[in-house]
Each structure stands twice: as C-alpha cells, then as structure tokens.
Amino acid sequence: MTDTGIENLLQEERLFPPSDEFAAQANAGPELYTEASEDFVAYWRRQALERITWFKEPTEDLDDSNAPFFKWFADGELNISYNCLDRHLDAGGGKVAYHWIGEPGDRRTVTYQQLSDEVNRFANGLRSLGVEKGDRVAIYMGMVPELAVAMLACARIGAPHSVIFGGFSAQSIIDRVQDAEAKLLITADGAWRRGTVVPLKESCDEAMLSTPSIDHCIVYERTKQGVSMTQGRDIWWHDLVADQSTECEPEVMGAEDLLYILYTSGTTAKPKGIMHTTGGYITSAASTHSLVFDVKPESDVYWCAADIGWVTGHTYIVYGPLANHTTSVMYEGTPDYPEKDRLWSIIEEYGVTILYTAPTAIRAFMKWGAEYPERRDLSSLRLLGSVGEPINPEAWMWYHENIGSSNCPIVDTWWQTETGSIMISPLPGVTTTKPGSATKAMPGVSAEIVDQEGNRVSPGGGGFLTITKPWPAMLRSIYGDDERYVSTYWSQYPGRYFAGDGAKIDDDGYLWILGRVDDVMNVSGHRISTMEVESALVSHPAVAESAVVGATDSLTGQAIVAFVTLRGGFEESDGLNDELRKHVAVQIGPIAKPKSIIFTPDLPKTRSGKIMRRLLRDISENRDLGDITTLANADIVANIASQSEAQRKDA
Ligand code: PRX
C-alpha cells in the first residue's frame, strides 16, 4: 500500500463559469470568502446576528476550551420555531410555506399563518400530555406537513425530537427510541408509497412492545385504513388538538440546548445518535440555505426533494427554508409514481425555480431516459442542487442539459448528518463549477485533505477529507456516548474532524469527494477510489449507473469488479462487457480496468439511496450476506448473487 493517500486518476477539463446575469443578482459574493478567511468566528457571528432573531443576543462566540466539545454563542437565547414562524407573521403570514402534493394526487397549501396555528395547537397538545423541556420525542411519519408541524412544536416547547425515517422497520424504531429514552411517539396510521399504504402505526405497535419509556403515541390520520388504538396510550392527532389554543408561549432556549437527535446507521455497528443544538445550527441552516440556493423569499418556489427523515430534510426542507421565509414544495411519494415524470409534472405545475435532489435519483432519471423531462415545461428552473453521494461527471452533465436546459448553475453540496449544514459547495454566481467537483469549502469552513500520516496533500493528490476548524452547526456529541464521539471523529488526526471520506484536490484547489474511505480499493498497491472507476463507466453512453468494489485477488491484492446498470435501449452482451472494460482503461488507465463486469437491472441501495458496496463485496467474495432486510430493494440481491456465482464458475 502506498502511504500517499488515494490515487488521482480521473481528469475533468470542463468548466462552467457563472453567467453575468446570475452573478448580478446572486445572494453570495466573493467578498464572503475574504471576510471569513480573515476571521471565521467573526464571520459566523455576523451570520448569527443578521439572520437570527434572538431573545437575548449572545455575547460569546466560539468556546473551544473543552475541545472537541465546542460551543457556539452559548449565552444567547432564542427559540427556533419563533424564528421559523412568529417573526414572519406580521408582514408575511399569508405567504405559502408549503405547497404539498400527496402521492394519490391530493393537494394542500399551507401558509405561514396556518403552519404557525397548527404548530401552536400541537405544541399545546404536547404540553397537555406532560411533555416538558428536555423530554425526547420520537417521530415516525411519512412526508406530510404534520411531520414539519410535529418537529416545530417540539422545538417550540424545547423537547428534542428524534425523527425516524418512515421506511424503517419496527426494530429501527426500538433501537432509536430505547437509545434516546423517548417519552412520546408521533406517527400516522399510514403513508402512501407507490399506490400502497405503508402501515406506520402497525410498526409502532410492534415497536412499543419493547419501548417502556413511551407514555403516549399520537396518531395522525392520513390513509384511513383501520388501525388499533390502545386506550390510555394512543391518541388521535385531531382529538389532541381539537380544543387547543393557537397561542403557545415559546420556550426560551439556550443556544446550546439540544434541538434534535438524528440517528445515522453505520453499516454494522449500533446507530449513532447525532446531537444538534439550537443557536449554531439555525445560524448555519439559514445562512447556507440562502447562500447556496440563492433563495429569494419573494419570488422563488424551492423544492428539496429529499425525505424529512434524513438530515437533508431537517435542514433544507424544514429549518433553513422556514427561517428564511421561503415557499417550498413538499411531495409525499416517489418520483416514478404513477409515472416516471412525476417530479417534472410538479415542477411544471408549481413553477419550481430551485430543485435539490440526489445523484441516485439523477442516475435513475438517466436510466429512464430524457423523454420524461422532455414532456414537461421545466423553464421555471434557475438553479439545481445535488447531495448525498459523489455525482459522476456524466450524471452532472445529464442533469445540467436535460433538467437545467444548460443554463442553471449546479451546486454539488458535500455535507453529512454530523455537519448539520452544507460544508463544501459552489456559491452560485461566484464559483466556476467543474462537473463532479463539490469545488471549495464554504466561507467559514476549513477543509483539508491529508495523507495517512495526517500531512496535508498538495494539489494533484488524493487522501482523506478533514475539517480543521469548528463550525456552528457541527454535531455536539453522540447521544449518551461522548467517548464514541471523540474516537469516531476526532482521533484519527489530532485537532481535526475526520469525515470518513476520501477526496482529492486538483491544481486549482478544487475538492473532489471520492466517497467513504471504506470503499477505497487497493489494486497492486494503488489506492483507487471506487467512485472514479464508476464515473468512467457512467461516461460510456450505454451506462446509467455502476457500483465498483475491490474483491480479494491472490495476484493483485484486490481486483476490480464492476456492477453495471444499462440505460434504456441498451442490451447486455459479451461485446459490451469487453468494450466497457476497455473504456475504463482508456478513460483513467489500465490499472483501473475492471477484472469483471456484471450487468444488473438495479443496484442494492440503502433506504437513503446510497449504494451498498459492502454487500456487493460480500457477493463478489462469496460471503454470507447476513440481514439485508433494511435495503430499499433487497430482491435485487439474489439476482446479482446468482450472476456473480455463474461468473466465478466460468472463470
Ligand atoms: O460520503 C459522503 C456522502 O454522504 C455522506 C454523508 O451521508 P449522510 O450523513 O447520510 O448525509 C447525506 C446528506 C447530507 C458523506 O460522508 N456525500 C454527501 N454529499 C456528498 C457526498 N459525497 C460526495 N459528494 C457530495 N456532494
């Protein structure tokens, strides 16, 4: 193994400078980088004071006396629901907060005034059940406005929420509720997904057999199939709020009081309860939302097409947009139901101007073909965003051309549940973008790539992504496990936050995220990122998506095995197999030529859409696969395994 970090193989020459027109109206300007580099604490302080309404303005900034347990604005007092609702009402209560579209086609328009009324009534309802400041509340719902209402009501009374993604199993609820010792569970009878009902309450019933900390379960009626209600424990949402007032005094929160816990599932170990606090989080959420998405509250229709169950939805569907008085679209269902043009039809209908989605979705759109977006008028769009995985340059180009009509800036935003808000991203109107690069650290954020010894990697090299200075929205710890917080994030490289991602830096200082370091392969002593080989494959016109893994090989240490999904209209064949392997060799060099290629109609993915390379590695090495029920598409695994087996026999 070389100790230089990770090889830098894929070169990308295309450049997309901002248009003068966009730059002239952009929220961000180049001076932000100068301001922040001169004094990053002062930069964040200005963001905190200008963007947030404080009950008591902080006199303290960053407290690093007990690193890595940092504090921001610690003596400040505020309430986030006040910042998201009350302060907008006098002048802008009639403005739409959410255009909501249910999967079956029902629609609701929720204004800021209505949202505020609902939040207050529900917050009073929570208080009537004895929920107090500091009590943890678990929320397990689909994508309905009441999910945002529940979160904001918790924030209003100072009860930290723990949102559990509505696609998770009863066991996931148990793990999370037990760890947080949540007192209350909020759910719905069900959620719509591809025309069928996901029985949320049923999973809660199963979970509540093992969660003695839960006193009450509140059930929002969405799908109206029968559910069983346990007397004394279960309460219908509509009954709880029926007689509640629309006035509810917001709790005065300290800046460092806990706002929420969000669990990230490591692939094997127990999920980590990532803790986010109040003042720093909302400062970064509001600031990055405005600067990265260039949101104009008076004219934009903004759509973050993630699920609120992930951090992306917390920060960029709920807290950031509402703090900024934005009009958002919220959609309940999947992009391919009832047809594969659902997103595009919503954009056309509501005149969406800003769209934020994930590479996994973009690659699915590529697979389905350009005819779906072509059916719809997407000319209202003026900015596109991507998050969640490295975006392959060819997927970036497809997004740019087919969704953005080649005239929307793309912001490829790198961040994590742990970071709370966007850390590395272009600033639209300022940054010249390169397809596949998240470009540079945001103003106020310091990112550096280091080698295995922790030495800074020079331009042209690859290594491990670290953050060198604290930032306001950073996680404060792992719930109940400070030691794990220190060992997971702060121990590899003393004084630096280690993100767990590989990255490279080019000669212009642009950062290219290569994915999780566990995914890096070692072929004949070269550390090669799976992402670069995948991007080379996706640059072939026949390929929509690919996952690459290193399988143990007696000759080379690891050998590259590629799983490939073809675009509509292409057929798998031995000829194509050969052609693709050669294509990689030409694109990035013979060292990265896959030893074998397996065609598959789909790839195993987590519920948040990330490719499960670990599982593909297990398949390639003929290992026992263990429990795969948490996958979004478990059925595909048997298919891939049998093909892999056949290839091994052939070889
Ligand atoms: O590997 C990086 C990848 O997603 C990880 C964080 O996942 P999660 O906590 O679920 O949060 C996702 C949404 C913020 C990162 O460690 N990742 C996220 N965004 C990007 C990315 N990889 C490359 N480019 C990105 N833009």
Side-chain angles (χ1 to χ4, degrees):
M1 186 187 293
T2 58
D3 60 5
T4 50
I6 302 171
E7 306 280 329
N8 176 7
L9 297 173
L10 197 69
Q11 302 298 326
E12 174 59 59
E13 305 293 339
R14 291 169 285 199
L15 290 178
F16 294 84
S19 71
D20 294 344
E21 198 190 348
F22 197 101
Q25 60 81 63
N27 290 354
E31 70 287 351
L32 293 177
Y33 291 110
T34 324
E35 181 196 345
S37 68
E38 279 165 6
D39 185 344
F40 79 104
V41 176
Y43 169 82
W44 284 118
R45 177 174 180 77
R46 184 173 74 78
Q47 297 296 318
L49 297 184
E50 288 180 7
R51 296 186 186 274
I52 301 307
T53 307
W54 298 81
F55 297 149
K56 176 172 167 277
E57 276 194 3
T59 62
E60 296 170 22
D61 300 316
L62 167 65
D63 175 356
D64 56 4
S65 57
N66 187 26
F69 299 93
F70 298 97
K71 292 179 184 166
W72 283 88
F73 316 123
D75 65 342
E77 289 174 356
L78 71 164
N79 184 285
I80 286 188
S81 82
Y82 182 92
N83 274 274
C84 290
L85 301 166
D86 307 45
R87 66 170 175 163
H88 304 313
L89 296 182
D90 281 347
K95 188 183 158 102
V96 175
Y98 294 113
H99 292 290
W100 177 82
I101 300 105
E103 198 193 71
D106 44 343
R107 287 165 166 69
R108 282 163 63 190
T109 297
V110 184
T111 65
Y112 274 84
Q113 184 65 56
Q114 289 165 338
L115 189 63
S116 171
D117 289 350
E118 287 314 309
V119 167
N120 281 277
R121 287 186 337 140
F122 193 68
N124 282 325
L126 293 177
R127 278 190 176 148
S128 76
L129 293 175
V131 181
E132 292 176 5
K133 181 174 174 180
D135 289 339
R136 276 82 59 212
V137 172
I139 308 178
Y140 178 71
M141 298 176 85
M143 283 286 286
V144 287
E146 281 67 21
L147 172 49
V149 170
M151 293 162 74
L152 291 160
C154 287
R156 194 160 191 89
I157 65 170
H161 56 69
S162 160
V163 178
I164 302 166
F165 172 59
F168 279 149
S169 63
Q171 188 56 47
S172 312
I173 305 176
I174 295 173
D175 296 342
R176 287 159 178 74
V177 167
Q178 284 186 348
D179 187 73
E181 294 174 281
K183 183 168 179 176
L184 190 108
L185 176 59
I186 305 171
T187 188
D189 48 356
W192 288 109
R193 194 137 188 101
R194 289 207 177 87
T196 59
V197 169
V198 180
L200 298 173
K201 176 63 166 56
E202 222 173 273
S203 300
C204 289
D205 288 339
E206 191 185 332
M208 281 188 286
L209 298 174
S210 314
T211 56
S213 62
I214 297 287
D215 296 336
H216 292 288
C217 177
I218 303 173
V219 187
Y220 174 70
E221 186 173 56
R222 165 65 186 137
T223 43
K224 295 196 166 68
Q225 88 282 18
V227 295
S228 75
M229 298 289 279
T230 300
Q231 220 184 350
R233 184 193 69 185
D234 300 348
I235 308 151
W236 286 108
W237 177 300
H238 49 259
D239 290 338
L240 180 70
V241 300
D243 298 321
Q244 299 295 345
S245 153
T246 54
E247 305 280 325
C248 175
E249 198 55 34
E251 195 71 42
V252 175
M253 302 296 285
E256 282 298 336
D257 282 341
L258 185 60
L259 172 66
Y260 68 78
I261 305 170
L262 183 59
Y263 286 83
T264 61
S265 25
T267 40
T268 46
K270 168 172 174 250
K272 302 187 280 277
I274 303 301
M275 297 169 70
H276 284 292
T277 57
T278 302
Y281 175 78
I282 195 66
T283 296
S284 286
S287 162
T288 54
H289 178 253
S290 170
L291 298 175
V292 173
F293 300 108
D294 193 52
V295 177
K296 310 284 190 264
E298 55 292 346
S299 52
D300 275 314
V301 181
Y302 160 89
W303 186 10
C304 167
D307 191 289
I308 294 177
W310 312 119
V311 74
T312 306
H314 280 57
T315 307
Y316 297 110
I317 298 179
V318 180
Y319 292 116
L322 294 176
N324 288 335
H325 203 193
T326 309
T327 294
S328 293
V329 161
M330 188 194 292
Y331 169 54
E332 182 181 35
T334 54
D336 55 350
Y337 188 86
E339 280 204 68
K340 295 190 171 80
D341 68 346
R342 189 72 192 260
L343 261 45
W344 323 126
S345 82
I346 293 172
I347 290 172
E348 178 179 70
E349 181 178 343
Y350 290 91
V352 171
T353 56
I354 299 166
L355 175 69
Y356 189 30
T357 185
T360 182
I362 296 165
R363 292 187 302 255
F365 304 146
M366 286 170 69
K367 187 165 87 181
W368 299 336
E371 73 217 59
Y372 294 100
E374 273 162 16
R375 284 184 195 170
R376 302 290 178 168
D377 178 4
L378 305 182
S379 60
S380 55
L381 286 170
R382 66 179 196 91
L383 183 135
L384 302 174
S386 167
V387 63
E389 277 187 296
I391 178 164
N392 321 102
E394 239 29 70
W396 194 103
M397 288 305 300
W398 190 94
Y399 197 30
H400 174 69
E401 287 165 6
N402 293 279
I403 308 305
S405 296
S406 304
N407 62 18
C408 297
I410 295 184
V411 289
D412 171 8
T413 63
W414 177 87
W415 60 296
Q416 307 175 297
T417 307
E418 291 87 341
T419 69
S421 63
I422 293 169
M423 301 291 278
I424 301 175
S425 169
L427 287 181
V430 179
T431 312
T432 292
T433 53
K434 303 184 184 188
S437 169
T439 73
K440 304 209 171 179
M442 290 284 289
V445 172
S446 301
E448 262 178 25
I449 299 175
V450 295
D451 64 19
Q452 286 179 335
E453 276 74 49
N455 304 309
R456 200 169 158 172
V457 163
S458 11
F464 307 95
L465 179 62
T466 65
I467 308 293
T468 62
K469 294 190 180 113
W471 64 102
M474 64 194 298
L475 78 165
R476 295 306 194 263
S477 188
I478 293 174
Y479 193 77
D481 203 343
D482 286 347
E483 240 170 71
R484 192 173 177 201
Y485 166 66
V486 176
S487 68
T488 308
Y489 303 109
W490 298 95
S491 301
Q492 284 82 356
Y493 306 107
R496 294 165 183 267
Y497 170 84
F498 174 54
D501 281 350
K504 60 183 192 176
I505 180 165
D506 71 14
D507 292 336
D508 302 325
Y510 276 53
L511 302 172
W512 300 74
I513 314 295
L514 300 169
R516 307 298 298 167
V517 288
D518 326 332
D519 291 336
V520 170
M521 304 173 288
N522 190 334
V523 183
S524 307
H526 298 275
R527 292 173 60 85
I528 298 176
S529 122
T530 54
M531 187 264 171
E532 294 208 308
V533 182
E534 288 160 9
S535 289
L537 284 162
V538 176
S539 75
H540 189 281
V543 178
E545 184 162 46
S546 140
V548 163
V549 300
T552 307
D553 185 275
S554 51
L555 199 62
T556 54
Q558 287 190 318
I560 300 178
V561 180
F563 298 82
V564 166
T565 302
L566 296 177
R567 290 204 202 194
F570 289 90
E571 296 285 332
E572 54 188 79
S573 68
D574 290 348
L576 183 58
N577 192 316
D578 255 12
E579 190 180 319
L580 291 179
R581 294 174 58 240
K582 281 188 196 130
H583 179 75
V584 175
V586 171
Q587 292 293 308
I588 57 178
I591 179 73
K593 185 172 172 179
K595 185 171 177 192
S596 63
I597 287 184
I598 294 171
F599 293 107
T600 166
D602 204 354
L603 294 164
K605 297 205 180 131
T606 64
R607 304 264 167 173
S608 65
K610 293 190 208 294
I611 297 171
M612 285 284 286
R613 293 186 189 76
R614 181 185 58 81
L615 190 74
L616 291 170
R617 222 159 31 230
D618 288 346
I619 292 176
S620 311
E621 296 179 347
N622 205 15
R623 263 195 302 276
D624 178 29
L625 301 182
D627 179 17
I628 55 165
T629 51
T630 56
L631 290 185
N633 51 355
D635 46 331
I636 200 70
V637 173
N639 182 336
I640 299 176
S642 71
Q643 286 202 54
S644 176
E645 173 78 34
Q647 279 220 354
R648 263 195 307 273
K649 283 197 180 127
D650 283 355

